[in-house]
Amino acid sequence: MSEKKDEKEVEKKASEEETKEVNEASDKTEKDVSPEEAAGKAEESESSEEGAESEAESLDEKEAKKAAASREGKEADKYKKEAADWKDKYTRQLAEFENFRNRSEKEKAMMFDTGAVSILQKILPVVDNFERGLETIPEDKKDDPFVTGMDKVYKMLTKALTDAGVEPIEAKGAKFDPNLHNAVMHAEDDSVEENTIVEELQKGYKYHETVIRPSMVKVAN
């Protein structure tokens, strides 16, 4: 019994010594860590925490930027559509204005031509009378000052008509054209082809390719 008791005491003592050595080693390890190392470890821990926070903030910023970019894209699309609509409206209004201006100019030209034709139709009988009067003057009277003056007035009048765009219609010797000529007489004449104008009874005139008075003619059958 005494031997067993001694063995237990030895084992207990050895266990206590081993525990003491472990505690001393642990204390020594804690003592061996310098303040700088401890501070470094603390900084590493704080840096790790700050990195996690920074990463979280970075993700939030990215999401915010993505959302802002999406809103800006939608606004840009909206403004582009509005700009396209305004451009389309402007183009349409410009085309309508251009058409209106062309119609106005055309109507104005037509009104002017209508007024001009009306005036010219009243002047043409005056020209006819000048021509008839000058044709009846005998040869020995053509040098008379009065006749010479009337002839100059007639030439000035016909020149003014020519400058205004009035020109006589070709008649004698030409083929009859119902758009230009008014056949008031017919004659049998074998020396010319059928429907040829053999005589002009009254001179016809055109104003800018518009017939203001057809020629009165005699046509061969």
Side-chain angles (χ1 to χ4, degrees):
M1 293 292 292
S2 177
E3 291 177 357
K4 290 182 179 180
K5 186 177 181 180
D6 292 339
E7 289 177 359
K8 288 182 178 180
E9 288 179 356
V10 170
E11 290 177 358
K12 182 178 181 182
K13 186 176 181 180
S15 176
E16 289 177 354
E17 289 179 356
E18 184 179 355
T19 302
K20 184 178 179 181
E21 289 177 357
V22 170
N23 291 335
E24 288 177 354
S26 176
D27 293 341
K28 184 178 179 181
T29 302
E30 290 178 357
K31 289 179 181 178
D32 290 342
V33 176
S34 63
E36 290 79 1
E37 290 178 350
K41 289 182 178 180
E43 288 179 358
E44 287 179 0
S45 177
E46 291 178 358
S47 176
S48 177
E49 292 177 357
E50 290 177 355
E53 292 177 357
S54 176
E55 185 176 356
E57 290 178 358
S58 177
L59 289 174
D60 291 340
E61 289 179 359
K62 287 181 179 178
E63 291 295 329
K65 288 180 179 179
K66 186 176 180 181
S70 178
R71 288 194 301 270
E72 291 177 357
K74 290 180 180 179
E75 290 180 357
D77 292 339
K78 178 183 176 182
Y79 293 144
K80 286 180 181 179
K81 186 177 183 304
E82 290 180 355
D85 292 340
W86 280 110
K87 182 178 180 181
D88 183 64
K89 290 179 181 178
Y90 169 76
T91 304
R92 289 176 181 274
Q93 289 182 353
L94 184 63
E96 289 176 0
F97 175 76
E98 188 68 22
N99 292 334
F100 170 75
R101 186 173 65 178
N102 292 336
R103 286 196 304 269
S104 297
E105 291 179 354
K106 186 176 181 180
E107 290 174 359
K108 187 187 296 183
M110 290 177 63
M111 290 175 64
F112 177 81
D113 288 343
T114 300
V117 168
S118 177
I119 297 298
L120 292 172
Q121 287 175 339
K122 294 177 181 179
I123 294 176
L124 293 180
V126 178
V127 176
D128 296 337
N129 290 331
F130 265 105
E131 291 176 346
R132 293 191 190 98
L134 292 172
E135 287 175 357
T136 59
I137 296 174
E139 288 293 331
D140 59 342
K141 298 290 184 179
K142 288 186 177 181
D143 292 332
D144 187 87
F146 177 78
V147 175
T148 303
M150 290 298 100
D151 185 59
K152 288 181 180 180
V153 172
Y154 166 72
K155 289 179 180 178
M156 290 176 63
L157 182 58
T158 54
K159 184 178 184 303
L161 292 174
T162 301
D163 294 340
V166 179
E167 58 181 355
I169 296 173
E170 183 182 2
K172 189 174 181 179
K175 283 290 185 181
F176 174 76
D177 185 349
N179 297 315
L180 303 175
H181 310 121
N182 181 18
V184 294
M185 296 180 65
H186 293 270
E188 298 292 339
D189 193 339
D190 296 334
S191 63
V192 295
E193 295 181 0
E194 188 178 358
N195 286 331
T196 300
I197 298 173
V198 294
E199 184 179 353
E200 183 181 55
L201 305 176
Q202 185 183 57
K203 190 177 293 185
Y205 291 91
K206 292 190 297 183
Y207 172 68
H208 296 312
E209 302 303 322
T210 299
V211 177
I212 58 178
R213 190 178 75 180
S215 301
M216 294 176 61
V217 295
K218 180 190 291 187
V219 182
N221 291 332

